[in-house]
């Protein structure tokens, strides 16, 4: 942990160079292909060897979260964070947050539906962004996250996101989000974020 706790957010960087976005996209493509592949044994063997080679190539450069470019490339979607579900969000003129999210094959649960845990990951990101964008509070942690799974959420489809601030009192920030496919409400979520005190992790 950083000595300053959550009050030391990752500093923006250009580390990784002009191909870091390409690198992130390639990792995500690999995740999708690995999840979907029904390949002959020899192809899997060759792929495993190539992956081991890539892992060995990167291993000497392992760094802590404050030094790695992942999550610190503000010029890239999701700040170049490989973990994040691909999405794009922005504060609108109406004082709310709007945008899109797209779940890939890697996020498949079963029968074409997004895994519920992947929805949780995406909702935490969407609601966290909303809390920060609408209050200016960059130093916060998720205290509570509730999700109502109303309909099946499809993979490989661009879905609409609408999020808003419902209450801002003291250290507590309450936000909610709706995920839609056209006019169909698929999932809704509410969260409480708590502003950190100096030095809190």
């Amino acid at each position: 942990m950083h000595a300053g706790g959550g009050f030391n957010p990752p500093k923006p960087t250009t580390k990784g160079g002009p191909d870091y976005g390409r690198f992130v996209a390639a990792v995500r493509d690999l995740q999708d292909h690995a999840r979907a592949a029904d390949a002959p044994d020899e192809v899997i063997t060759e792929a495993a060897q190539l992956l081991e080679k890539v892992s060995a190539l990167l291993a000497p450069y392992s760094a802590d979260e404050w030094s790695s470019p992942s999550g610190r490339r503000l010029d890239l979607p999701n700040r170049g964070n490989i973990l994040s579900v691909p999405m794009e969000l922005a504060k609108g003129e109406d004082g709310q947050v709007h945008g899109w999210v797209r779940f890939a094959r890697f996020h498949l649960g079963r029968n074409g539906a997004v895994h519920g845990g992947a929805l949780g990951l995406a909702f935490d990101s969407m609601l966290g962004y909303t809390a920060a964008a609408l209050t200016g509070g960059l130093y916060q942690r998720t205290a509570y996250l509730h999700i109502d799974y109303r309909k099946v959420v499809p993979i490989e489809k661009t879905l609409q996101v609408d999020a808003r601030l419902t209450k801002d009192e003291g250290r507590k920030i309450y936000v909610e989000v709706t995920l839609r496919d056209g006019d169909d409400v698929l999932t809704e979520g509410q969260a409480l974020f708590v502003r950190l005190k100096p030095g809190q992790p």
Side-chain angles (χ1 to χ4, degrees):
M1 286 195 179
H2 198 289
F7 269 72
N8 286 279
K11 294 180 181 178
T13 185
T14 57
K15 284 184 176 181
D19 281 332
Y20 196 74
R22 178 183 166 200
F23 171 77
V24 171
V27 171
R28 288 183 171 153
D29 283 345
L30 174 62
Q31 290 175 323
D32 289 339
H33 292 309
R35 184 72 196 272
D38 180 16
D41 294 357
E42 61 273 17
V43 172
I44 296 298
T45 298
E46 182 179 358
Q49 291 169 343
L50 290 170
L51 288 170
E52 289 166 355
K53 183 176 180 180
V54 170
S55 184
L57 177 67
L58 295 174
Y61 305 100
S62 182
D64 62 34
E65 66 176 286
W66 310 103
S67 303
S68 168
S70 179
R72 299 198 299 136
R73 286 292 299 263
L74 301 187
D75 57 317
L76 298 175
N78 304 105
R79 303 186 313 277
N81 188 339
I82 295 170
L83 175 65
S84 298
V85 178
M87 66 180 72
E88 188 171 303
L89 306 172
K91 181 180 177 180
E93 294 182 0
D94 59 357
Q96 299 185 5
V97 167
H98 305 285
W100 59 264
V101 63
R102 184 180 177 89
F103 296 91
R105 176 64 182 269
F106 180 67
H107 304 114
L108 176 67
R110 191 66 77 196
N111 200 25
V114 173
H115 190 287
L119 277 164
L121 173 64
F123 268 53
D124 191 47
S125 295
M126 292 187 286
L127 289 163
Y129 174 88
T130 300
L134 300 186
T135 68
L138 301 178
Y139 313 111
Q140 59 197 23
R141 291 283 189 187
T142 311
Y144 170 85
L145 174 62
H146 175 83
I147 300 174
D148 291 313
Y149 300 90
R150 302 203 177 280
K151 293 185 179 180
V152 167
V153 178
I155 61 168
E156 300 178 327
K157 189 169 188 179
T158 301
L159 306 169
Q160 294 77 51
V161 176
D162 298 293
R164 62 216 137 264
L165 176 71
T166 57
K167 192 167 28 173
D168 184 359
E169 54 180 26
R171 294 179 61 204
K172 298 179 179 179
I173 304 169
Y174 296 87
V175 285
E176 61 184 21
V177 65
T178 302
L179 182 65
R180 291 186 174 87
D181 180 8
D183 293 330
D184 287 338
V185 174
L186 304 180
T187 316
E188 296 175 301
Q190 305 86 39
L192 164 62
F193 289 85
V194 176
R195 290 182 172 92
L196 296 176
K197 294 179 180 180
Q200 271 191 297

